[in-house]
Amino acid sequence: MPPLLLITAITLGASFAPLAVHLSPLLVAAPTCTGTFARTRFTAVVALVAAAAVLLVDNHDGLLHSPLLPIHIGAVLIVSAFVLASRAMHDRDLRELAQVRAVSEAAQRVLLRPIPPKVGPFRIASMYRAAAAHALVGGDLYAASRTGRTTRVLIGDVRGKGLPAIEDASAVLGAFREASQHFRTLPELAAALERSVRRHLSELTADTLDSGERFITALLIELPDDEEVARVVSCGHPPPLLRQGSQVTLLPVARPAPPLGLAAESPDAFCLDTVAFGPGDTLLLYTDGLAEARDSAGEFFPVLDRAGTWTWECPSRLVQHVSLDVDRHAGKKNLQDDLALVAVHHPTHPVHGGQAPP
């Protein structure tokens, strides 16, 4: 170990140095540098070894009965005590951080349940990246639900950040998981989500000053098994990408509704768009963390231009490819907003037993 080698080198050097040159004060460096990378117990062992080495070196220098000996040993022990106290606080912070991350991972599993790789006849992959350091959840959301012979997918983005955004995302996800089983059409489902969001916002305390400014952009996709179509309701959310053959386009949304929390509560307020979605086609749903990612020059990520370079046949590879492409554009640590991705692929051949075709 480097600290023990340092103690050995100083001790051997002192045996060859002139008696007038006292190297024992240098031994304080051993416990000091050990505390930067080792745990408290090992640092304490190094401190004791360094104190013993001070006694050995000063004995060689003829300082065994000199007042310098207790000064040298005391300096090593005092500095070691400060290093040990600092290391103990650092270890405590590491344990607390590990506990916080464990709670955050559990919250993510509850809030953003993993979407199975196969839902009905469709292959699906999802990815979530929080912009905040050490965070695993945020204001972006996604979910998938199986209703009879229909697959419904939700993706959304809560205005704001921090705990209020997570609270709003949880309210929308809970409402979607319940309401998607009870409403026959997407406009009816969207209206139910709007009522749930308004009820959630009305229950906020008066201390929440921005409760009247909170809303959620959302996109609802419905994919029936027996029809080669995709039905879409947009609530102020960025339109998804649709790949058909070798062509990638933005899915047309004729009349998007306002975000949830600002829309009307009637199904008639939500326009239903229908597009062809057959075998071999792929949809990529995303939040504005993708389109608004900036490089060092302030240029936005060119979503549609870059889409032609991605691997679309495999949903899991697609979301990974998009994530890597954003990192190359903006830098892995420069994302200013959360990013959520959901890729839905309609296989050319039926998928059985949850296994994707080769």
Side-chain angles (χ1 to χ4, degrees):
M1 296 292 293
L4 299 180
L5 292 177
L6 179 61
I7 293 174
T8 303
I10 294 175
T11 304
L12 291 177
S15 64
F16 294 102
L19 295 180
V21 179
H22 306 305
L23 299 182
S24 59
L26 298 178
L27 289 166
V28 74
T32 303
C33 68
T34 304
T36 62
F37 64 87
R39 293 299 177 93
T40 306
R41 187 172 299 178
F42 183 74
T43 304
V45 172
V46 171
L48 294 176
V49 173
V54 168
L55 182 62
L56 183 63
V57 171
D58 280 0
N59 180 51
H60 172 270
D61 293 344
L63 302 177
L64 191 59
H65 302 290
S66 168
L68 290 177
L69 176 62
I71 294 176
H72 292 168
I73 294 180
V76 171
L77 294 179
I78 292 173
V79 171
S80 298
F82 280 106
V83 171
L84 287 172
S86 176
R87 185 68 220 191
M89 290 187 291
H90 180 68
D91 291 346
R92 182 198 61 192
D93 292 341
L94 287 178
R95 289 192 296 269
E96 291 180 355
L97 178 60
Q99 293 173 353
V100 170
R101 289 186 65 86
V103 172
S104 179
E105 291 174 358
Q108 183 182 42
R109 287 192 294 269
V110 173
L111 181 62
L112 288 178
R113 300 174 188 171
I115 298 178
K118 176 179 175 291
V119 180
F122 306 101
R123 295 161 56 197
I124 301 181
S126 59
M127 176 180 290
Y128 189 96
R129 293 178 54 180
H134 305 298
L136 297 177
V137 293
D140 289 3
L141 57 101
Y142 56 75
S145 174
R146 185 71 177 162
T147 306
R149 294 182 55 79
T150 299
T151 299
R152 287 173 169 173
V153 181
L154 165 71
I155 191 168
D157 187 358
V158 175
R159 177 192 178 274
K161 297 179 181 180
L163 293 178
I166 297 176
E167 183 181 9
D168 294 348
S170 177
V172 175
L173 287 170
F176 171 78
R177 290 165 183 152
E178 177 65 24
S180 62
Q181 305 296 323
H182 298 288
F183 292 93
R184 187 177 60 86
T185 67
L186 278 191
E188 292 174 337
L189 174 58
L193 295 182
E194 173 65 24
R195 290 191 294 270
S196 296
V197 169
R198 291 199 175 213
R199 184 165 54 252
H200 161 71
L201 295 178
S202 67
E203 293 172 352
L204 298 176
T205 63
D207 296 334
T208 308
L209 299 179
D210 64 341
S211 59
E213 301 175 0
R214 289 161 70 167
F215 58 82
I216 302 98
T217 67
L219 187 76
L220 291 165
I221 303 283
E222 184 177 78
L223 305 170
D225 294 356
D226 51 1
E227 299 179 61
E228 295 182 358
V229 298
R231 301 187 182 98
V232 184
V233 167
S234 174
C235 300
H237 197 80
L241 293 175
L242 173 63
R243 182 180 187 263
Q244 295 176 315
S246 60
Q247 186 177 10
V248 180
T249 58
L250 285 173
L251 192 148
V253 178
R255 188 165 56 91
L260 298 176
L262 303 176
E265 300 183 17
S266 169
D268 297 336
F270 299 92
C271 179
L272 181 67
D273 294 285
T274 304
V275 297
F277 186 71
D281 296 345
T282 303
L283 277 168
L284 177 64
L285 288 63
Y286 57 89
T287 56
D288 57 9
L290 178 67
E292 295 180 1
R294 296 173 181 260
D295 61 10
S296 57
E299 297 292 333
F300 289 111
F301 181 72
V303 178
L304 199 54
D305 293 341
R306 296 297 302 161
T309 66
W310 301 335
T311 302
W312 287 82
E313 288 75 16
C314 176
S316 60
R317 289 184 182 179
L318 174 58
V319 296
Q320 292 172 7
H321 201 159
V322 175
S323 179
L324 291 174
D325 208 3
V326 173
D327 286 342
R328 283 192 291 265
H329 178 81
K332 189 172 184 179
K333 298 182 179 180
N334 293 331
L335 286 179
Q336 302 300 314
D337 198 2
D338 297 341
L339 171 61
L341 302 170
V342 178
V344 184
H345 178 68
H346 194 311
T348 306
H349 303 286
V351 182
H352 302 287
Q355 299 295 324

